[in-house]
Amino acid sequence: MGISVINAQRDIILEAVRNTARGEWKVLVIDEATKKLIDNVVKEDDILNENITNIERIEDRRPMNKDMDAVYLLSPLPHIVDCLMADFQRKRYRRSHLVWTASLEPPERRRIDSSQMAKEQIGEFKILSVDFFPRESHLITFRDPWSFPVLFHPACNHLVRGHMHDLTKKIVSICISLGEHPIIRYYRPRNPSHGASILSTHLAGFVQDELDLYAKYHEDFPQPSNRPRGALFITDRSMDLYSPLIHEFTYQAMAHDLLPIKEGDKVLYKTVIKQGEPDEEEKDMEIGEKDKIWVENRHRHMKDTIEKLMEDFQKFINENPHFTNTSADANSLNAIKDMLAGLPQFQELKEAYSLHLSIAQECMNIFQKHKLPDLAPIEQTLATGLDEDHRKPKNLADDLVRLLDDESVVSADRLRLIILYILYRDGLLQGDTNKLLAHARLLPRDAEVIQNLELLGARVQKPIKDNKLPPQPLFMKKQTPPTAAEEYALSRFEPSLKLMLECHVNGTLDQTVFPFTKPQLGAPPEGASGLDNQSQASLRSAKPTWARGRLSSIEPRQRVIVFMAGGATYAEARSCYEISKSSSRDVVLATSHMVTPSLFIRQIGDLSIDKRRLDIPAERPKPRAPQHLFEPEPTPKPPVAAKTASSLPKPPVPPTVAMAPTALNPSRAASNGGPPKKGKKRHFFSHKD
């Protein structure tokens, strides 16, 4: 489907390695951070195929290699620059070609530029702008869950400016990598009540300035293209507080919500493989873009996913009966050869099907055990403001209390219900909130979670006499949808991000809530069609309306980048794919980290604890270059001289000497006139003259 940010970053990295010191055999030197970037999108064999003899870590002990060039692919961190300067000091390689994943800060750049030994050794100097982690074809993360407390914790105000600078550089890197100098719009809430309400405004301004500065010094940016000019939306988590709390029933979102899936450099789920066989084992299985079953099904409703998995697995078994039928013909050598040849890939496929059937089954077990069929309709009503019949709900408080009293509903889901109800009501009297907490039998720290929602713009508590008008919804409610099956009625809620993108496509996005960073002189009036909104296109390349339908499938697609500060949900990621599929756009979601309901509630609760307990990386001691890089190279030991015969130790006396007086025939010895004469002594290893 259109663009893939994984392939885009992979091509940039490989092209840089290929075209640096072109035609020469070279060493690739990386650091800890760039290793993670490379491992995320490139196979090691692909790099070694680009005339790379070996890959070394700049922080590690390495041998001197003065007969070969080195390509340094480094992150622009101060301690990495220290490591690099230590290499220059030793003249470790013949020539050094520097490739940076992002632009250097001015002090580090000046340090390199002013060094005479650096000038003598540097061959090439490049900046790639790849300092981000593509996770899916249309999803990018920065792997930075600490971004949320830095942006929203009241005690982290002194960290915000530096963090915004880091976010700006990463967002600009995405735009540069995709070849886009986009029109920028940002989220500006109508009636803000929280300090972080200006977050998106400031970040959008920083990104605009940084992009303009880059374009000023790079006349070839962006490259000429007949693609409509891209769009960048800067939003933050406060735009939609419902999406991180709703139970989602599409495969990916449901699995991440209900199951203990590990998030790290890889996404892993522990399951049992080869179940029932002698070599049964528990194994961490990776879930990602290489898993075709996952990619094909992750955005499907769970009901459809299970049906598709069972259908495909049965087809696989029918096509490969030797995996289940032990009486298969193994008498033919050709048949055995074919089975052995196909076994490795089939075994991997069989494990993949087992993994996803296991995930789906476990999700459905929790779905029933935690009473999610009863919980979900109320969640959907609270989030949409309408019941399943698309009418204003009745007796909602009674239904809520009934679920809070139900012991089958776990405490985490009870807290989610209460928060959703408070958001729906735009705040409650403190006494009413306390009653709900008592019904739910929640702990005092759960009350803190509710109170901390105010830091994201939610109204939690209202006075007895409340004259405030109900807040205007961010987007107008859609018309009554067609009657859907019961299971799909549990998925009526649509994230604000999706509604924003739909308005962008239709040209109806409110400019007061989503203003431009720069006035758009040729911008269409609100309400204009999506076709009119494809600005900046050349009139010479415009096609007549009769040709649009026939050529729409091959026309260049506008690229839309959405950045969600403070973390994004899997429902929002899915929305980007859905809009990409339904419109002539390629929508890419970028965010600091992916948010699940449990993580979101935990991070909201952390906003009231001492920030020192959060172990925020920005407040940790700065990493330093390893000391061994600055120690003198050990003096090579002189070669060991070969020992001469005279210097060797004397060997033990051979037993023949002691045996000399002994005669096997005494009479013969006597006839010789007594004992034998002593001969001249010779060294055991000496030769006769």
Side-chain angles (χ1 to χ4, degrees), residues 329-451:
D329 179 20
N331 295 324
S332 165
L333 290 177
N334 286 332
I336 294 175
K337 182 179 178 181
D338 292 341
M339 288 171 63
L340 290 175
L343 185 59
Q345 68 185 68
F346 282 147
Q347 184 62 37
E348 183 178 342
L349 190 62
K350 187 178 178 182
E351 288 182 6
Y353 276 118
S354 300
L355 167 67
H356 293 291
L357 288 169
S358 173
I359 290 176
Q361 185 60 56
E362 187 61 27
C363 284
M364 293 312 297
N365 291 342
I366 296 174
F367 179 77
Q368 297 296 337
K369 182 180 178 181
H370 291 179
K371 286 206 166 183
L372 297 189
D374 298 332
L375 205 66
I378 294 183
E379 288 183 350
Q380 293 291 316
T381 299
L382 293 173
T384 61
L386 301 171
D387 63 14
E388 296 178 27
D389 298 322
H390 218 69
R391 298 173 182 171
K392 188 175 181 179
K394 298 178 181 179
N395 305 319
L396 200 52
D398 294 339
D399 294 338
L400 176 68
V401 170
R402 175 178 53 81
L403 284 171
L404 295 180
D405 290 336
D406 192 334
E407 294 184 358
S408 299
V409 179
V410 297
S411 59
D413 289 344
R414 288 183 230 139
L415 178 58
R416 288 162 70 171
L417 265 180
I418 292 175
I419 294 174
L420 288 169
Y421 185 67
I422 291 173
L423 295 175
Y424 166 75
R425 292 288 303 274
D426 191 33
L428 293 176
L429 298 175
Q430 186 60 51
D432 292 342
T433 301
N434 293 338
K435 290 177 183 177
L436 292 177
L437 290 170
H439 273 287
R441 302 174 299 284
L442 296 178
L443 300 173
R445 67 169 177 265
D446 295 322
E448 289 186 21
V449 173
I450 294 173
Q451 195 62 40

Side-chain angles (χ1 to χ4, degrees), residues 79 83 90 121 323 361 469-470 476 481 536 601 655:
H79 74 285
C83 296
R90 296 185 178 191
Q121 298 178 57
F323 281 115
Q361 185 60 56
L469 295 174
M476 297 298 295
Q536 314 300 321
I601 288 177

Side-chain angles (χ1 to χ4, degrees), residues 145-357:
W146 291 277
S147 180
F148 183 87
V150 170
L151 295 175
F152 294 104
H153 197 297
C156 290
N157 288 338
H158 65 293
L159 300 175
V160 172
R161 177 174 290 276
H163 186 60
M164 295 276 272
H165 176 68
D166 293 340
L167 291 177
T168 297
K169 290 183 65 175
K170 291 178 185 295
I171 296 169
V172 170
S173 289
I174 295 171
C175 296
I176 294 171
S177 293
L178 296 181
E180 293 291 341
H181 191 178
I183 297 170
I184 302 177
R185 302 181 73 169
Y186 58 94
Y187 171 58
R188 183 173 64 188
R190 287 194 180 93
N191 300 301
S193 60
H194 59 299
S197 61
I198 57 174
L199 164 61
S200 296
T201 304
H202 283 308
L203 185 56
F206 295 152
V207 172
Q208 183 72 71
D209 292 343
E210 192 73 17
L211 268 173
D212 290 346
L213 187 64
Y214 183 87
K216 179 180 178 180
Y217 290 102
H218 297 80
E219 296 180 357
D220 59 342
F221 173 78
Q223 292 286 340
S225 170
N226 59 351
R227 191 172 58 240
R229 186 177 181 183
L232 169 63
F233 289 90
I234 304 290
T235 65
D236 64 80
R237 189 65 270 157
S238 68
M239 185 177 82
D240 187 351
L241 298 179
Y242 288 100
S243 188
L245 297 167
I246 289 285
H247 277 96
E248 270 275 331
F249 299 115
T250 48
Y251 184 39
Q252 182 184 44
M254 190 175 184
H256 279 275
D257 183 4
L258 303 182
L259 302 182
I261 294 177
K262 297 178 187 176
E263 295 270 0
D265 293 346
K266 295 180 179 179
V267 181
L268 303 172
Y269 178 68
K270 184 169 289 188
T271 187
V272 176
I273 62 171
K274 301 179 182 178
Q275 195 165 9
E277 300 179 17
D279 53 349
E280 173 182 314
E281 63 173 319
E282 197 173 47
K283 182 179 179 182
D284 280 328
M285 300 285 286
E286 183 178 357
I287 305 172
E289 291 297 287
K290 299 175 185 176
D291 186 339
K292 294 181 180 179
I293 300 174
W294 173 255
V295 171
E296 184 180 356
N297 291 282
R298 62 187 168 200
H299 298 143
R300 282 197 174 104
H301 191 280
M302 181 59 80
K303 172 181 175 293
D304 300 329
T305 299
I306 293 175
E307 290 178 355
K308 186 73 166 61
L309 285 173
M310 295 180 69
E311 176 186 333
D312 289 350
F313 190 61
Q314 190 58 51
K315 181 180 178 182
F316 166 72
I317 293 298
N318 292 339
E319 292 176 353
N320 302 279
H322 48 277
F323 281 115
T324 54
N325 182 10
T326 56
S327 62
D329 179 20
N331 295 324
S332 165
L333 290 177
N334 286 332
I336 294 175
K337 182 179 178 181
D338 292 341
M339 288 171 63
L340 290 175
L343 185 59
Q345 68 185 68
F346 282 147
Q347 184 62 37
E348 183 178 342
L349 190 62
K350 187 178 178 182
E351 288 182 6
Y353 276 118
S354 300
L355 167 67
H356 293 291
L357 288 169

Side-chain angles (χ1 to χ4, degrees), residues 12-276:
I12 290 171
I13 292 173
L14 286 179
E15 184 178 358
V17 174
R18 181 183 309 121
N19 293 331
T20 304
R22 193 177 183 90
E24 297 283 342
W25 285 98
K26 54 226 174 190
V27 177
L28 179 64
V29 184
I30 60 177
D31 58 56
E32 181 182 5
T34 53
K35 184 179 188 309
K36 292 181 179 180
L37 284 175
I38 292 171
D39 289 347
N40 187 56
V41 295
V42 184
K43 295 178 181 177
E44 185 174 314
D45 286 347
D46 293 336
I47 290 180
L48 295 176
N49 288 337
E50 302 295 344
N51 280 17
I52 298 295
T53 59
N54 61 305
I55 302 174
E56 300 177 351
R57 282 273 299 274
I58 196 169
E59 304 97 333
D60 294 346
R61 295 182 184 273
R62 290 162 285 140
M64 300 290 286
N65 199 343
K66 296 189 176 185
D67 297 328
M68 188 168 289
D69 284 9
V71 176
Y72 287 86
L73 181 54
L74 303 176
S75 50
L77 301 174
H79 74 285
I80 297 300
V81 175
D82 290 341
C83 296
L84 177 66
M85 299 303 285
D87 276 10
F88 288 156
Q89 185 71 38
R90 296 185 178 191
K91 298 183 178 179
R92 187 178 295 276
Y93 303 102
R94 181 177 62 191
R95 196 87 172 139
S96 299
H97 309 276
L98 307 186
V99 182
W100 302 93
T101 59
S103 59
L104 288 149
E105 294 298 323
E108 275 64 55
R109 182 62 189 262
R110 284 195 298 269
R111 186 179 171 194
I112 295 174
D113 290 344
S114 62
S115 170
Q116 184 60 37
M117 63 181 180
K119 290 178 182 178
E120 293 172 356
Q121 298 178 57
I122 293 176
E124 299 177 58
F125 194 105
K126 298 179 182 178
I127 297 174
L128 295 189
S129 300
V130 291
D131 189 18
F132 54 87
F133 293 93
R135 176 162 169 167
E136 298 175 6
S137 62
H138 288 58
L139 175 61
I140 295 169
T141 75
F142 300 157
R143 294 184 182 175
D144 184 16
W146 291 277
S147 180
F148 183 87
V150 170
L151 295 175
F152 294 104
H153 197 297
C156 290
N157 288 338
H158 65 293
L159 300 175
V160 172
R161 177 174 290 276
H163 186 60
M164 295 276 272
H165 176 68
D166 293 340
L167 291 177
T168 297
K169 290 183 65 175
K170 291 178 185 295
I171 296 169
V172 170
S173 289
I174 295 171
C175 296
I176 294 171
S177 293
L178 296 181
E180 293 291 341
H181 191 178
I183 297 170
I184 302 177
R185 302 181 73 169
Y186 58 94
Y187 171 58
R188 183 173 64 188
R190 287 194 180 93
N191 300 301
S193 60
H194 59 299
S197 61
I198 57 174
L199 164 61
S200 296
T201 304
H202 283 308
L203 185 56
F206 295 152
V207 172
Q208 183 72 71
D209 292 343
E210 192 73 17
L211 268 173
D212 290 346
L213 187 64
Y214 183 87
K216 179 180 178 180
Y217 290 102
H218 297 80
E219 296 180 357
D220 59 342
F221 173 78
Q223 292 286 340
S225 170
N226 59 351
R227 191 172 58 240
R229 186 177 181 183
L232 169 63
F233 289 90
I234 304 290
T235 65
D236 64 80
R237 189 65 270 157
S238 68
M239 185 177 82
D240 187 351
L241 298 179
Y242 288 100
S243 188
L245 297 167
I246 289 285
H247 277 96
E248 270 275 331
F249 299 115
T250 48
Y251 184 39
Q252 182 184 44
M254 190 175 184
H256 279 275
D257 183 4
L258 303 182
L259 302 182
I261 294 177
K262 297 178 187 176
E263 295 270 0
D265 293 346
K266 295 180 179 179
V267 181
L268 303 172
Y269 178 68
K270 184 169 289 188
T271 187
V272 176
I273 62 171
K274 301 179 182 178
Q275 195 165 9

Side-chain angles (χ1 to χ4, degrees), residues 233 235 475 496-504 509 514 562:
F233 289 90
T235 65
F475 300 99
S496 294
L497 184 146
K498 182 178 182 180
L499 301 176
M500 177 192 75
L501 289 171
E502 288 178 343
C503 290
H504 166 68
L509 191 60
F514 295 94
V562 181

